[in-house]
Amino acid sequence: MPTTSSVQSDRDFVFIERVFTAPRELVIRAWTEPEQLLRWFAPPGCSIRYELLDLRAGGSFHSCVLTPDGHECWCKGKYREVVFPERLVFKMAVADAQGNLKSPTEMGMHPDWPRETVCTVTFADEADNTRLTLHQTVNTELAKQTGAYPSWLLMLDRLAETLG
């Protein structure tokens, strides 16, 4: 389990900071190794699958989170930066199963959800632990209202469990 957790708004964007009781190399590998992503990169009760996962700067991904009731949430994106073991930057957009980009409203999402968001995840040594920060370019209140914000928190809980 994480030793500390805090969540706050940063310029009205999602900002999450968490300390994991694991070395930085283990934490970033959980974000960059496909078999590890499958273990935690979806909220509890959900699963994720990748149609494409090219985890390098300039590489792309196309994924689907499957909810317990059978709803599919497709996403497509591109890795802007993969700086091991310090930082990941990737953009994400709503897509369909074929990988076509869609507007959020086309996919039944909140009309104010942006067509694309950028996530920046940093990893820093803190004694024998790792301080992770996550920024996502979406309004914090909107992310809370739509469930995206609590989903990040739940996924980070799953990550902490997988790290042991």
Side-chain angles (χ1 to χ4, degrees), residues 16 29 70 73 103 106 118:
I16 300 171
R29 273 194 297 213
C73 182
S103 74
E106 284 180 281
V118 176

Side-chain angles (χ1 to χ4, degrees), residues 69 92 97 140 154:
D69 65 1
M92 299 186 297
T140 302
L154 292 168

Side-chain angles (χ1 to χ4, degrees), residues 22-33 36 84-86 123-125 128-130 163:
R24 178 169 60 158
E25 289 75 20
L26 289 180
V27 179
I28 195 170
R29 273 194 297 213
W31 284 79
T32 58
E33 293 179 358
Q36 291 199 49
F84 194 90
E86 300 160 5
F123 308 85
D125 289 327
D128 293 333
N129 302 315
T130 302
L163 292 170

Side-chain angles (χ1 to χ4, degrees), residues 1-2 9 20-21 27 44-45 51 79 81 87-88 138 140 144:
M1 290 299 295
S9 177
F20 292 91
T21 55
V27 179
E51 295 298 316
Y79 289 96
E81 295 180 50
R87 181 176 57 255
L88 294 174
V138 63
T140 302
K144 288 179 180 178

Side-chain angles (χ1 to χ4, degrees), residues 9 30 38 41 44 48 60 67 74-75 78 85 94 96 98 103 119-120 131 136 139 141 145 149 152 154-155 162:
S9 177
L38 292 172
F41 203 78
I48 189 166
S60 299
T67 65
W74 288 92
C75 178
K78 185 168 219 141
V94 180
D96 63 16
Q98 291 72 42
S103 74
C119 288
T120 302
R131 180 170 300 278
Q136 185 178 19
N139 176 277
E141 290 308 313
Q145 179 184 352
Y149 185 94
W152 277 122
L154 292 168
M155 289 173 11
T162 66

Side-chain angles (χ1 to χ4, degrees), residues 5-6 17 26 51 62 72 77 79 88 101 105 108 114 124 161-162:
S5 179
S6 66
E17 185 174 61
L26 289 180
E51 295 298 316
H62 180 211
E72 294 183 346
Y79 289 96
L88 294 174
L101 296 180
T105 53
E161 291 171 11
T162 66

